[in-house]
Amino acid sequence: MGLWRCGRESVKNISSDIIRGYNDTMILFLLIREPSYGYAISKQIRELSGGKYIIKETTLYSAFNRMEKNGYIESYPGAAENGKKRTYYRITGKGRAYYFEKCEEWKLTKEVLESFTVDVPAG
Amino acid sequence: MEIIESYLDSMLGKLPDTPELRKARNELLQMMEDKFGELIEEGKSENEAAGTVIAEFGNLEELAESLGLRELLGKREIPKNPGRVLSLEETERCLRDFTLRAVLTGIGLMLIIISPMAFFFSDELPLSDFSEDTLEMSFLFVLSALGGGFLIYASFLKKDWEFLKTDALSLGKDALDGLRARWEKDKTAITLCHAVGIALLILSPLPVVTELPREGFEISFFLLLVGIGVFFLILAAARRKIYKRIFRQSSCAPGEGSGGTGEAKSALSLEQGSPDRREGEAYGSRRDESGHSPEQAGMARTVLSCYWQTIGCIYLCWSFLSFDWGRTWLIFVVGAALFPFLRIMADRGI
């Protein structure tokens, strides 16, 4: 135990490799709740993750773009409170199906990795 | 707020302007503005808020990939410098503009060079003193003014194409093919212009050296020859330069080896010194090395390979036999003038 903790630094950042595969999932989760727009999604991701994951604008836009091309979401024009034009997104049936697939995938990944990882005591 | 917008533009500026990019820009700007607004509401200062927005923006790679720009730009690294896209039509227009500019610059310089001509040939004309002076002065001023005008106009022409010096370019396949085809066609013409220019420059002192009936005309012809020679040189050099620049900025090969630059360098070395034997020898052998494929062992090529040595020998023999040293050195001048033509023939494989 002593050796284990020697020189260990607490991990502050989420693994970008893994999170990259689940950006879509997070966005779709939020869009299932209600249609929304760019910044609102970004803010909710930060809040729901407890501040541990702050998604970048480029990442977010790339995800929107990709998912729209794949038919998982649709964009439609709307207006902001100050009257400015704003693009809103809503999820499609195909998107829902994809979302549930990703949930399954995560469950499987978690199960596999749990056999290889231990709970490290905090502190 | 403007900070954010200029930051966004500077990031996206490197990507080619497509409708998709514009859509992306709008959406990204919207997201950044929303974030900025909320940070201000939370009490941050404008600078702090802008800084946070910029810091959390992200990088170009993801964006470019999602916009499918990797395919557009081939296998090249996007964040380095995706460059500005040139269409076939733009390339053609560019070449036309630059040729026009080369012609204008050449004519401009030529006019300036020959403008003092009147001072010399007016002696030969049966004019009164007064009209002689008028002729001389008006010739000088009119031609210099015209020449200067041409030069200034020519320099305006290149404003449109300043970006060629700094930006990397990406050419579509048809633009590239068109460009290469043009280069093949123009290559010989350009080399010919160059050769003519050099030849004229070398021959230009001849009117002065040989005895012409009217002395005043000697220098006038000299100036005329120099002027025309310079015109051809500028034409050739400028046209070659624009091709090279486009090719270099788009990191493409012109398709065939650049025999051009070798010639430019060697042509310049000819201009600088009198072609004495030692320089000629080194020059001849250098050219051989940089030169042609072994298959092109035509007549011109064989002559070229021992050109200066032969000329040197002829010079010595002739001089010792005739003791006319005062005139035999002319053989070098003539030989130097013929040299570029021989080289063209060698290029063509004659």
Side-chain angles (χ1 to χ4, degrees), chain B residues 24-218:
Chain B
R25 182 191 177 275
N26 286 336
E27 177 70 350
L28 285 164
L29 187 61
Q30 185 65 64
M31 289 199 273
M32 290 166 104
E33 282 179 1
D34 286 340
K35 188 180 220 172
F36 180 79
E38 188 156 311
L39 286 170
I40 296 282
E41 268 175 46
E42 285 172 7
K44 289 214 157 73
S45 77
E46 277 207 15
N47 277 340
E48 266 184 325
T52 312
V53 170
I54 289 180
E56 294 175 359
F57 179 69
N59 62 36
L60 213 49
E61 243 176 61
E62 286 191 270
L63 201 55
E65 191 160 352
S66 82
L67 292 175
L69 288 170
R70 282 209 189 272
E71 288 90 49
L72 179 70
L73 299 169
K75 307 266 184 277
R76 260 177 277 142
E77 280 295 325
I78 292 176
K80 297 299 177 191
N81 215 339
R84 185 171 149 159
V85 177
L86 272 190
S87 67
L88 177 64
E89 185 197 87
E90 269 191 293
T91 325
E92 302 265 304
R93 201 156 47 92
C94 174
L95 289 174
R96 268 204 307 271
D97 275 354
F98 268 88
T99 314
L100 180 65
R101 181 171 161 252
V103 168
L104 290 176
T105 316
I107 295 184
L109 273 179
M110 178 172 86
L111 289 176
I112 293 185
I113 289 180
I114 67 180
S115 59
M117 228 166 83
F119 284 98
F120 300 105
F121 71 69
S122 60
D123 282 335
E124 307 300 326
L125 301 174
L127 293 171
S128 69
D129 268 345
F130 175 69
S131 26
E132 201 177 299
D133 283 340
T134 335
L135 179 68
E136 290 171 0
M137 284 307 186
S138 46
F139 212 77
L140 176 73
F141 283 120
V142 168
L143 286 192
S144 311
L146 267 181
F150 274 116
L151 285 179
I152 295 180
Y153 182 57
S155 74
F156 272 130
L157 277 185
K158 79 172 173 187
K159 284 280 163 74
D160 279 343
W161 302 103
E162 280 297 307
F163 68 87
L164 286 179
K165 273 196 227 155
T166 49
D167 297 350
L169 303 170
S170 50
L171 284 103
K173 184 164 188 312
D174 55 343
L176 200 55
D177 287 339
L179 188 68
R180 286 205 175 121
R182 285 285 295 266
W183 170 239
E184 286 308 305
K185 245 181 14 186
D186 287 345
K187 209 161 65 162
T188 335
I190 293 179
T191 318
L192 195 63
C193 283
H194 204 123
V196 168
I198 298 277
L200 283 173
L201 281 181
I202 292 183
L203 294 174
S204 59
L206 274 183
V208 180
V209 166
T210 61
E211 313 273 313
L212 280 190
R214 307 280 197 87
E215 215 179 295
F217 285 130
E218 284 174 9

Side-chain angles (χ1 to χ4, degrees), chain B residues 194 240 260-270 272 283 286:
Chain B
H194 204 123
R240 188 182 292 134
T261 27
E263 172 163 356
K265 270 195 231 143
S266 44
L268 277 176
S269 72
L270 251 187
Q272 267 140 30
Y283 174 46
R286 210 192 315 143

